[in-house]
């Protein structure tokens, strides 16, 4: 939320030191004290001299490049005329304009100086609205008459147009929607500093409009609440479309992050920012009959203000007239009734919609808006009438309209329920001794009504605080208003004998090991599409989300691989073509036909019984920890006399062995299969006889479909299972005192026999003297019988107590060959 200082000063007394930046910093500090988060300071970076000038005369001069410029004589102060070159042609003699004189600096920064151009010395510049930071309009220079201004020549234009204002930006958490308004921020500043708060909603409201039909017809309440609980309409007739938005309003809207569009629309946005109540204006002549608020029916469509035709969902709440849908309630209006240049009579709508319904509609249609942002967080249902009146007043004052008696007012919002706050509860929860006066004053200041009962108070929250639902939320408000500095900082003492579990230690060590090997840890969203589930797990069951952020990703992941492919694609699209990334995270594996859903969550006032904990545990699917890694691009770049080495299955296997070593386990590698991996480049990974993962390369078709290179190495391990199978004891290796004996062993086996199986047989047969056995060659071709292949292992032998002879090493090698021959029919290659 961006808050212009000049706007806020209308409702609280801000100190004015003469230094706008210091004032903004002080405001930030005050708002941080009451729990808002400091973000940034915004303002137009320009300095004077910038003054009001009047065009006395000009001469149009065609140029050789086809452009025509105007050599203007501009009065910038009584008795002071300057010659200025201007390329715009939208002004006439006598117009008053904004002149930036030499020494001024415009946003950019763009310094103004007297300079020679087009054969003249231009002594300044006549500015456009965009050059001054007043909007995007750049078709010509800014004529002050279009803003309804007729100031004296030489007047300081910075002060005239509000260009000396600053805005502070604060982050508003989802539970404090009331702070998405000048009204809410002013109230919070008053809480922080004790300044007097002047409520902008406390304005005189004219008698309610009558005669305009409004029907609230909600057939599908959300969580027991109707979709619309208040709907106020007012009518203003005779709008003068020739009038433009005044400069002060444009400046405040721009500082607040909203672009100026037209006077009527700007007024509705202005009131939304001021009071926190989203407003919608309709062209009254375009309406057919009255308004009905209802849910959509299957197959209905609506063209919204952004020009998109949208197919509606039965849960969408609509604004309709006799012609059909004319708006998505609380999200965006329809194109058929929008305000246009021909609009004369305006119907103003101020309504209150149910937050969950609006949030789901905005998410479903991928249509975030300032209105939906506020409705989703909760809007004060009692501010609708004052907000509608404020819009009417501004339309009468600025647009030349006349308020009409036609309108309606339907308010059926439930009053906030009283909350029992026991005496002593706040002290016990917060850990601070508060006086009774501090508690009652704090709650009264935020707008609560207190009634004393036998053991404390019955506290009724204000209408603008839907987040106050129980005693703990009231206690938190007392702590916030009195001051968080009252809460002592106490470092808890950990009980002896505690610490990280073995699983936590191994997960951390695994992440450190992979990072040390050059991989980058990433985090992907756990939400995936059905296509992602099918990619890695075929038609296996997956958990469906009841309220997904995006309908296209409404499932919980069964694998980490789809998320890594999306991350790789995003990085490669930004020029990072050589990647090695990994993620450690939970996957969600539903068991059989088990059903998972929402259960009632117990309160924090007492320890739940074991049956309640068991019910909670059974309401969620198993969530084991997995590890996945992805390798794409070159592991080693091309250099002088050196070809590039592409990443692939070898990198995935190296990472797998590194992870297994951290977990204290030894991997066994066999030829495997996986729906997403290349059938000839897939390894199944085992610890003992337990399958714990796969390593390989993506199917080229899958890689291309996801906009990745054809060769992508991937690894996925059930890290939780690997840790359970690994050893918790780490044995330190001994330093060899005697030299090693090395020999190679080349055997011929059937193509169906894996190299890993041959290696395992040789290792078992060679016995304790064999130190390492590394696969160095897998040959298929000339010199071999069809259907066979040659496997070559580099063997290293060593004894702890002597230097081995060649005969001893050969004897051990042949013993390994004998086992491989017995199990797999291996023969020594000549």
């Amino acid at each position: 939320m961006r808050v212009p200082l000049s706007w806020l000063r209308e409702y609280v007394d801000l100190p004015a030191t003469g230094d706008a930046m210091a004032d903004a910093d002080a405001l930030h500090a005050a708002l941080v004290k009451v729990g808002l988060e400091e973000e940034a300071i915004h303002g137009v970076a320009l300095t004077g001299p910038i003054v009001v000038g009047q065009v006395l005369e000009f001469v149009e001069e065609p140029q050789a490049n086809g452009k025509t410029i105007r050599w203007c004589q501009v009065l910038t102060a009584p008795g002071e005329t300057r010659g200025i070159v201007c390329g715009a042609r939208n002004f006439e003699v006598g117009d008053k304009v904004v002149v930036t004189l030499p020494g001024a600096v415009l946003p950019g920064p763009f310094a103004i100086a007297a300079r020679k151009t087009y054969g003249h010395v231009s002594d300044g510049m006549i500015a456009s609205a965009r050059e001054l930071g007043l909007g995007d309009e750049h078709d010509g220079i800014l004529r002050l008459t279009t803003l309804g201004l007729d100031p004296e020549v030489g007047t300081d234009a910075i002060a005239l147009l509000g260009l000396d204002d600053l805005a502070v930006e604060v982050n508003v958490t989802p539970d404090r929607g009331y702070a998405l308004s000048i009204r809410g921020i002013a109230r919070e500043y008053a809480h922080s500093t004790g300044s007097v708060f002047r409520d902008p909603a406390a304005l005189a409201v004219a008698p309610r409009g009558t005669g305009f039909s409004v029907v609230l017809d909600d057939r599908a309440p959300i969580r027991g609440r109707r979709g619309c609980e208040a709907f106020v309409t007012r009518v203003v007739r005779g709008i003068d479309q020739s009038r433009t938005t005044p400069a002060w309003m444009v400046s405040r809207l721009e500082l607040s992050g909203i672009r100026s569009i037209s006077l009527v629309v700007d007024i509705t946005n202005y009131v939304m920012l001021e009071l926190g109540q989203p407003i919608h204006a309709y062209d009254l002549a375009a309406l057919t009959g009255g308004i009905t608020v209802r849910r959509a029916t299957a197959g209905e469509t609506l063209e919204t203000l952004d020009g998109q035709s949208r197919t509606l969902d039965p849960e969408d709440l609509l604004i309709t007239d006799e012609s059909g849908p004319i708006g998505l309630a609380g999200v965006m209006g329809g194109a058929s009734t929008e305000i246009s240049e021909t609009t004369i009579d305006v119907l103003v709508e101020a309504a209150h919609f149910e937050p969950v319904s609006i949030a789901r509609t905005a998410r479903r249609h991928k249509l975030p808006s300032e209105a939906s942002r506020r409705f989703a967080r909760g809007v004060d249902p009692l501010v609708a009438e004052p907000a509608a009146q404020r819009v009417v007043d501004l339309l009468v004052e600025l647009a030349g309209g006349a308020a009409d008696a036609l309108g309606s007012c339907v308010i059926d919002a439930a009053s906030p329920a009283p909350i029992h706050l026991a005496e002593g509860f706040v002290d016990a929860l917060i850990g601070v001794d508060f006086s009774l006066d501090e508690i009652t004053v704090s709650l009264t200041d935020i707008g609560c009504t207190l009634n004393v009962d036998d053991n404390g108070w019955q506290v009724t929250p204000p209408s603008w605080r839907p987040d106050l639902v129980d005693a703990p939320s009231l206690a938190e408000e007392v702590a916030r208003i009195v001051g968080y500095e009252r809460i002592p900082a106490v470092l808890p003492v950990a009980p002896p004998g505690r610490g990280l579990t073995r699983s936590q230690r191994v997960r951390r060590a695994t992440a450190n090991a992979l990072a040390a090997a050059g991989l980058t840890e990433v985090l992907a969203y756990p939400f995936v599409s059905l296509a992602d589930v099918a990619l890695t797990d075929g038609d296996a069951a997956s958990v469906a989300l009841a309220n997904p952020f995006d309908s296209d990703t409404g499932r919980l992941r069964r694998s980490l691989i789809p998320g890594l492919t999306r991350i790789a694609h995003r990085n490669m699209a930004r020029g990072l073509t050589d990647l090695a990334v990994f993620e450690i995270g939970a996957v969600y594996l539903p068991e059989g036909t088990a059903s998972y859903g929402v259960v009632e969550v117990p309160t924090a006032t007492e320890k739940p019984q074991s049956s309640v904990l068991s019910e909670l545990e059974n309401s969620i699917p198993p969530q084991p920890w997995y590890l996945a890694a992805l390798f794409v691009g070159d592991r080693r770049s091309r250099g002088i006399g050196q070809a590039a080495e592409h990443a692939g299955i070898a990198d995935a296997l190296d990472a797998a062995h590194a992870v297994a070593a951290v977990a204290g386990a030894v991997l066994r590698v066999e030829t495997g299969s996986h729906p997403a991996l290349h059938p000839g480049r897939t390894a199944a990974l085992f610890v003992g006889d337990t399958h714990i993962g796969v390593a390989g390369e993506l199917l080229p078709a899958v890689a291309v479909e996801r906009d990745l290179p054809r060769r992508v190495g991937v690894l996925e391990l059930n890290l939780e299972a690997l840790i359970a199978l690994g050893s918790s004891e780490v044995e330190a290796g001994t330093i060899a005192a005697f030299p090693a004996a090395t020999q190679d062993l080349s055997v011929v086996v059937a193509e169906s026999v894996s190299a890993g199986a041959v290696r395992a047989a040789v290792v078992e047969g060679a016995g304790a003297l064999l130190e390492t056995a590394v696969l160095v060659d897998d040959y298929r071709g000339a010199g071999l019988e069809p259907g066979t292949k040659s496997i070559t292992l580099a063997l290293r032998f060593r004894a702890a107590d002597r230097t081995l002879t060649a005969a001893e090493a050969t004897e051990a090698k042949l013993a390994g060959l004998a086992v491989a021959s017995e199990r797999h029919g291996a023969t020594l290659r000549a």
Side-chain angles (χ1 to χ4, degrees), residues 96-361:
K96 290 185 177 178
V97 295
V98 176
V99 181
T100 57
L101 301 179
V105 180
L106 299 182
F110 176 46
I112 303 299
R115 63 189 183 93
K116 187 172 183 178
T117 180
Y118 294 109
H120 302 282
V121 175
S122 184
D123 197 15
M125 184 182 78
I126 306 175
S128 69
R130 188 169 73 178
E131 289 163 340
L132 295 171
L134 282 174
D136 296 329
E137 180 63 42
H138 197 57
D139 293 337
I141 57 95
L142 175 63
R143 299 161 58 220
L144 294 177
T145 54
T146 64
L147 301 179
L149 299 176
D150 186 22
E152 294 292 329
V153 170
T155 301
D156 182 1
I158 293 178
L160 175 71
L161 300 176
L163 301 178
D164 54 351
D165 202 2
L166 292 178
V168 300
E169 183 177 0
V170 292
N171 182 38
V172 177
T173 54
D175 60 326
R176 298 173 70 181
Y178 67 94
L180 290 173
S181 65
I182 301 297
R183 181 194 189 204
I185 295 295
R187 182 181 279 113
E188 289 301 301
Y189 180 81
H191 295 332
S192 175
T193 64
S195 176
V196 176
F197 169 60
R198 298 179 290 275
D199 191 351
L203 72 165
V205 177
R208 293 176 173 178
T210 59
F212 186 81
S213 173
V214 171
V215 177
L216 307 184
D217 179 19
D218 185 2
R219 303 185 307 276
I222 302 297
R223 299 187 181 182
R225 293 180 60 181
R226 295 186 305 280
C228 180
E229 297 178 330
F231 202 95
V232 176
T233 62
R234 296 287 300 276
V235 170
V236 177
R237 299 188 184 274
I239 297 298
D240 183 357
Q241 287 288 0
S242 67
R243 297 197 182 187
T244 58
T245 307
W248 60 266
M249 182 177 286
V250 173
S251 176
R252 286 182 175 181
L253 290 174
E254 292 285 346
L255 276 175
S256 301
I258 292 183
R259 178 174 58 91
S260 175
I261 297 173
S262 67
L263 178 56
V264 175
V265 175
D266 289 349
I267 287 174
T268 62
N269 286 332
Y270 186 84
V271 173
M272 175 187 69
L273 292 173
E274 186 172 70
L275 299 179
Q277 169 67 58
I279 302 289
H280 189 70
Y282 302 87
D283 186 336
L284 184 61
L287 288 170
T288 306
I291 282 178
T292 298
V293 183
R294 61 170 175 83
R295 300 286 171 175
T297 57
E300 276 191 299
T301 60
L302 169 67
E303 182 182 350
T304 45
L305 287 173
D306 58 359
Q308 299 294 316
S309 180
R310 303 180 185 276
T311 301
L312 305 176
D313 186 274
E315 193 180 286
D316 291 335
L317 191 66
L318 302 180
I319 309 299
T320 68
D321 65 4
E322 293 178 5
S323 68
I326 58 173
L328 274 174
V331 179
M332 184 174 283
S336 63
T337 57
E338 71 173 316
I339 301 296
S340 68
E341 295 179 354
T342 61
T343 300
I344 298 176
D345 300 331
V346 175
L347 177 77
V348 176
E349 167 212 302
H352 182 267
F353 301 113
E354 201 276 327
V356 174
S357 179
I358 302 307
R360 289 180 176 177
T361 295

Side-chain angles (χ1 to χ4, degrees), residues 551-632:
S551 58
D552 294 334
T553 54
R555 300 277 169 164
L556 289 176
R557 65 188 179 189
R558 291 182 59 95
S559 167
L560 303 181
I561 292 175
L564 290 185
T565 62
R566 281 192 291 272
I567 289 173
H569 171 258
R570 186 178 301 113
N571 280 273
M572 295 194 74
R574 287 157 176 77
L576 302 175
T577 56
D578 303 324
L579 294 172
V581 296
F582 75 96
E583 179 180 9
I584 298 175
V587 296
Y588 308 86
L589 307 177
E591 296 178 324
T593 59
S595 177
Y596 304 100
V598 178
V599 298
E600 184 176 353
V601 178
T603 64
T605 56
E606 59 183 16
K607 181 179 178 179
Q609 297 180 356
S610 58
S611 59
V612 175
L613 294 175
S614 177
E615 184 181 7
L616 287 171
E617 188 70 27
N618 293 332
S619 70
I620 57 176
Q623 303 176 33
W625 286 93
Y626 269 38
L627 176 144
L630 182 144
F631 306 86
V632 65

Side-chain angles (χ1 to χ4, degrees), residues 54-114:
Q54 186 173 28
V55 179
L56 299 179
E57 63 177 358
F58 60 81
V59 178
E60 294 193 346
E61 300 180 354
Q63 304 297 310
N65 60 7
K67 181 178 181 180
T68 299
I69 61 99
R70 287 180 172 181
W71 171 238
C72 308
Q73 299 301 312
V74 183
L75 184 67
T76 57
E80 181 179 305
T81 302
R82 296 173 182 261
I84 298 176
V85 173
C86 184
R89 305 177 66 183
N90 67 320
F91 59 93
E92 301 295 337
V93 171
D95 280 346
K96 290 185 177 178
V97 295
V98 176
V99 181
T100 57
L101 301 179
V105 180
L106 299 182
F110 176 46
I112 303 299

Side-chain angles (χ1 to χ4, degrees), residues 11-28:
Y11 306 116
V12 286
D13 296 324
L14 295 181
T17 63
D19 184 340
M21 190 61 70
D23 293 345
D25 287 334
L27 175 57
H28 258 154

